[in-house]
Amino acid sequence: MTNQQDVPVPSQLPGAPKTRFKGPVELRRGQADIPQADQYLLDTKDRAEFTHTDPWRVLRIQSEFVEGFGTLADLGPAISVFGSARTKSGSKHYAIAEEIGRLLVRQNFAVITGGGPGSMEAANKGASEAGGVSVGLGIELPFEQGLNNWVDLGINFRYFFARKTMFVKYAQGFIVLPGGLGTLDELFEAMVLVQTKKVTSFPIVLVGTAFWSPLIDWIRNSLLTEAMIAEVDLDLISVVDTAEEAVQQIVSGLSSRTGFYASGTTTLARWSCERISGFPCDRRRRRGCCCRVRTLGPEEG
């Protein structure tokens, strides 16, 4: 039987035609030479013509939110894992990401990534091999190669903002491995959402002290020194070096912020429902309640 990791993405096969993804649609050869949906939205020069197309575009945007909400409603507790698409298989960061995916599943979390190669693929691989739910949220890009082979539940998006909403709405925390501009974008957006209390009880863990220390020093020595942020904002993130430490920070962070989580018990199911709805979990009435995949103990039910 062919191992999943040995099966290449079709667009990666030798001599494969140029391939692009437009939402759920796959385009090849001459059909692939089209602008991105985000480019149409942000870079249209003819403003009068643009206003006539906006109503239709709003419906398309709405459909992405509906598809995302409907697909992920029953996901249960999850952690979003970010990192570079350029991380090489067999590298230190790849191995750490793979172990993070595996350890998160052991703590009853689903794993959400951007669905691409590199660190994202590694986290999906660890989650899938551990028997957990491996989620990939892809995006239309000029160089996109499709979801990696370790994604078990995948959605392709046209618009970044719809995709970003799913990363935050359906995760209880972020783990961020070394990465580039996309990784930094997700990191700082999460920090802003926690700082402004748009999301609560949301630990953010950075992996790789050597990689992240210069950034942390800049935040402290420039932003804090110039009074651009408050000192308490430095507590929004924690920095570790191993997969075990990263997952432990997530677990302890949820515990200290909510008082509900206890590893190896069912209390996370109740906490997650309260976080989403604002009301105590009631598995008899709440459609999509994560208690459907986890049985409450006698002291909780």
Side-chain angles (χ1 to χ4, degrees), residues 50-300:
F50 185 76
T51 59
H52 293 303
T53 62
D54 275 351
W56 295 101
R57 186 164 290 118
V58 167
L59 293 176
R60 178 179 291 170
I61 292 169
Q62 176 180 288
S63 72
E64 291 209 343
F65 281 103
V66 170
E67 187 69 31
F69 293 160
T71 301
L72 300 175
D74 293 331
L75 182 62
I79 301 297
S80 290
V81 180
F82 299 99
S84 177
R86 302 181 184 185
T87 301
K88 301 298 183 183
S89 178
S91 68
K92 173 184 175 182
H93 296 318
Y94 191 100
I96 291 176
E98 188 175 340
E99 183 65 11
I100 285 172
R102 187 175 297 110
L103 293 177
L104 286 173
V105 168
R106 292 178 185 174
Q107 292 290 341
N108 295 321
F109 289 109
V111 173
I112 304 174
T113 78
S119 293
M120 295 174 281
E121 174 188 281
N124 286 132
K125 179 182 178 182
S128 182
E129 288 185 334
V133 180
S134 176
V135 181
L137 307 180
I139 183 69
E140 176 188 336
L141 294 172
F143 41 81
E144 184 60 54
Q145 295 181 332
L147 298 173
N148 68 68
N149 291 329
W150 296 100
V151 170
D152 299 323
L153 175 61
I155 310 173
N156 279 305
F157 291 87
R158 289 183 173 92
Y159 300 104
F160 267 114
F161 51 83
R163 178 181 183 241
K164 287 182 175 182
T165 299
M166 306 305 153
F167 280 131
V168 176
K169 178 175 175 59
Y170 293 101
Q172 277 69 54
F174 279 5
I175 294 179
V176 189
L177 291 112
L181 296 179
T183 302
L184 293 175
D185 176 41
E186 298 294 352
L187 168 61
F188 280 107
E189 182 169 47
M191 292 176 66
V192 170
L193 291 174
V194 176
Q195 179 200 48
T196 56
K197 301 189 185 304
K198 300 297 184 181
V199 296
T200 58
S201 309
F202 200 89
I204 304 170
V205 182
L206 309 185
V207 182
T209 302
F211 182 88
W212 294 109
S213 287
L215 176 63
I216 303 301
D217 290 341
W218 175 77
I219 292 175
R220 180 180 292 106
N221 298 330
S222 295
L223 299 186
L224 183 58
T225 299
E226 295 291 334
M228 301 297 179
I229 62 172
E231 188 167 0
V232 68
D233 292 332
L234 294 172
D235 298 331
L236 295 176
I237 55 178
S238 56
V239 185
V240 301
D241 281 311
T242 69
E244 292 79 6
E245 291 171 332
V247 175
Q248 183 54 46
Q249 281 290 330
I250 289 291
V251 171
S252 61
L254 291 175
S255 177
S256 64
R257 288 168 169 81
T258 68
F260 282 98
Y261 185 91
S263 178
T265 72
T266 55
T267 53
L268 177 57
R270 166 172 283 187
W271 170 81
S272 180
C273 292
E274 291 188 346
R275 176 181 183 271
I276 294 170
S277 67
F279 297 96
C281 169
D282 184 347
R283 53 182 162 164
R284 294 167 298 179
R285 298 191 306 169
R286 277 190 54 77
R287 179 187 178 276
C289 168
C290 45
C291 292
R292 292 176 61 185
V293 295
R294 228 168 249 99
T295 303
L296 289 172
E299 74 282 3
E300 299 180 283

